[in-house]
Amino acid sequence: MPLDMDIHRAQTRFEQYAKPILGAFASAAIPTGEQITPPMLADALRQLFTLLSKDVSTWDPSLPADEPERVGDIAIGLLMDLATWAERLNERQAKAAMELIAVSIAAWVIAQHGQILTLEPIVNGLAALANTTNSGPAALLPLAILMGQVADAATAQFAADLDSVDPHRPWRILLINWGITATRAHSPQEMTRAFQAIRHHLPTDARAFFAEGRQQVEQGDFPDAVRAVMIQAADAIEHSLH
């Protein structure tokens, strides 16, 4: 079952969930000073959606080759700002919607062969999708694949993992969730890719991740091929530490 990442439906969702944010902001009468306000963010995002909804081949040919990447990153950043306002205004459902919309824009950037430069709202949106997808492994596979595509597109910015003491850093959460979702999707291929990334980029997390994963597949109802990939990865980590 494919994920619904259509940019036009993302725009419709944006208009639906921007309304409660704008309404709550107007009612709150918050003194904003120099802050960028929700109406300003919404107006800017509407302009960007107009551009995103057009075929890139129709864009001005004099624009730089990485213009889709730049436009997508601006849109994702604005959605993150609007999600922050939604949380401040106690519009939690709207906050979650903005993060899901960021996932759609990330998928659009990836389709244009661009890099992901702003990761946090995308990771939050992907995690929400993983937590609300309860239709079985087949429904989770497209999500696991998208997580891997996001990780690949963000590698240049986040692979250094400089803030390694923060367990809540988006890069770490993305890779851990990719590994978990690939396992829940019963996909040895995605598991192998995710596990390689975890071993390479999160060496301090790998032992605990694979130990817990081994326990899960040994106790749960998983296909033999899935169990074998997890146990092999857990064994390899244990042997590398001795």
Side-chain angles (χ1 to χ4, degrees), residues 5 9-10 21 25 32 36 39 47 64 73 83 91 99 114 145 173-174 183 196 202 212:
M5 293 288 110
R9 281 189 281 277
I21 301 173
F25 175 73
T32 56
I36 304 296
Q47 294 178 46
D73 183 61
E91 293 289 341
E99 292 169 341
I145 292 170
I173 293 170
L174 173 62
T183 304
Q196 287 173 345
L202 302 174
E212 184 174 347

Side-chain angles (χ1 to χ4, degrees), residues 64-77:
D66 65 351
E67 187 68 4
E69 176 184 299
R70 189 185 74 85
V71 169
D73 183 61
I74 292 171
I76 291 166

Side-chain angles (χ1 to χ4, degrees), residues 40-71:
M40 296 163 67
L41 293 168
D43 287 345
L45 279 160
R46 289 187 181 108
Q47 294 178 46
L48 289 171
F49 269 118
T50 299
L51 190 58
L52 291 166
S53 62
K54 295 179 180 177
D55 192 316
V56 171
S57 65
T58 67
W59 289 17
D60 185 342
S62 66
L63 291 170
D66 65 351
E67 187 68 4
E69 176 184 299
R70 189 185 74 85
V71 169

